[in-house]
Amino acid sequence: MAEHTHGHAGSAPALPPGTSGTKMIVTLGSIGLVCGVLIVGAFQVTLSAITRNKATLLQESILAVVPNATHSRTFVEHDGVLSPDADAAAPGERYYAAYDAGGTLMGVAVEAQGQGFADAVKLIYGYSPQRHAIVGFKVLESHETPGLGTKIESDPGFRANFDSLQVVPTADFSGVEHSVELAKHGKKEHPWQVEAITGATISSRAVARMLKTSTDAAVPIIAKNLEVLKGGAQ
């Protein structure tokens, strides 16, 4: 007589003796909790490192766009008035006053950002209140198309625009005499114009637009607060 079998094919295996569904759920929950704690801890460590790296990059960039500067101090703007920034989390636009080793104000670095050809572009520029001109420029973040939009970072002719790009405040500090504007390649006629890169006009226009928007607001504030900035060397 054929032997009878019990159970059904494909059914779940029986739990080991002494094991219950509740115990398994508790075990899995504990593992999940430990993994969550580890992930949060790793995130906190990574975030701290990222924050430090960004601060280091910013400081290096400030000194790169303001010639002959050795150190800087952050000021925050409220209603057109600049004050030393004692609280890094305080709201307001940041202005980075850069000084030489003797404490003389060499320029002010300002961040600007806007939409490029492919994605957002973030940059920093140095402004000399003595020369009434942008005297340095650096891209902080960009995802522009390689070989086209990235020329704003690498093209020597384009970067030469920012050796001395004129932005003069009006006498009453209400604005600027001439806003930054874009000129076609080979057609630059005025010291406040940015000469476009051949084949990367959209990215060139984006940079010029960002600088126009930023300097229209920032240069009058720098001019009005010049004595405060000069006296802020640490």
Side-chain angles (χ1 to χ4, degrees):
M1 181 180 293
E3 183 179 2
H4 293 284
T5 58
H6 298 281
H8 301 280
S11 61
L15 294 174
T19 303
S20 68
T22 301
K23 185 176 180 180
M24 291 184 67
I25 292 173
V26 170
T27 301
L28 292 174
S30 299
I31 293 172
L33 177 61
V34 171
C35 291
V37 170
L38 292 175
I39 291 171
V40 171
F43 173 76
Q44 292 295 338
V45 171
T46 303
L47 180 62
S48 178
I50 291 173
T51 301
R52 288 196 303 270
N53 290 340
K54 283 188 175 181
T56 299
L57 173 62
L58 177 59
Q59 180 61 23
E60 291 174 350
S61 299
I62 292 168
L63 301 185
V65 299
V66 180
N68 303 314
T70 61
H71 62 286
S72 68
R73 188 176 188 185
T74 304
F75 289 76
V76 65
E77 182 263 332
H78 292 292
D79 297 325
V81 177
L82 295 180
S83 304
D85 182 15
D87 180 4
E93 294 295 324
R94 263 59 181 173
Y95 290 72
Y96 307 101
Y99 308 88
D100 67 9
T104 299
L105 179 68
M106 305 306 296
V108 182
V110 182
E111 294 174 287
Q113 60 183 355
Q115 183 64 36
F117 173 72
D119 204 340
V121 175
K122 185 175 182 180
L123 56 86
I124 188 169
Y125 63 91
Y127 179 78
S128 168
Q130 292 83 8
R131 295 170 57 183
H132 299 309
I134 291 174
V135 293
F137 164 89
K138 181 175 180 173
V139 175
L140 295 177
E141 295 179 17
S142 173
H143 302 284
E144 294 293 76
T145 306
L148 293 174
T150 53
K151 286 185 178 181
I152 62 176
E153 303 176 66
S154 61
D155 186 88
F158 186 71
R159 295 185 66 84
N161 282 299
F162 313 106
D163 292 338
S164 184
L165 181 64
Q166 186 182 91
V167 189
V168 181
T170 57
D172 61 357
F173 305 143
S174 62
V176 298
E177 291 185 0
H178 298 282
S179 293
V180 173
E181 62 183 36
L182 185 72
K184 293 182 179 180
H185 184 73
K187 301 295 184 180
K188 180 173 179 175
E189 298 179 348
H190 305 290
W192 57 84
Q193 291 179 319
V194 175
E195 184 174 351
I197 307 170
T198 300
T201 304
I202 295 176
S203 294
S204 302
R205 183 178 294 112
V207 170
R209 183 174 61 249
M210 282 183 267
L211 291 177
K212 174 192 181 304
T213 300
S214 179
T215 54
D216 280 357
V219 167
I221 290 173
I222 292 172
K224 285 188 288 187
N225 292 271
L226 188 56
E227 294 306 314
V228 172
L229 293 167
K230 286 181 177 179
Q234 292 177 309

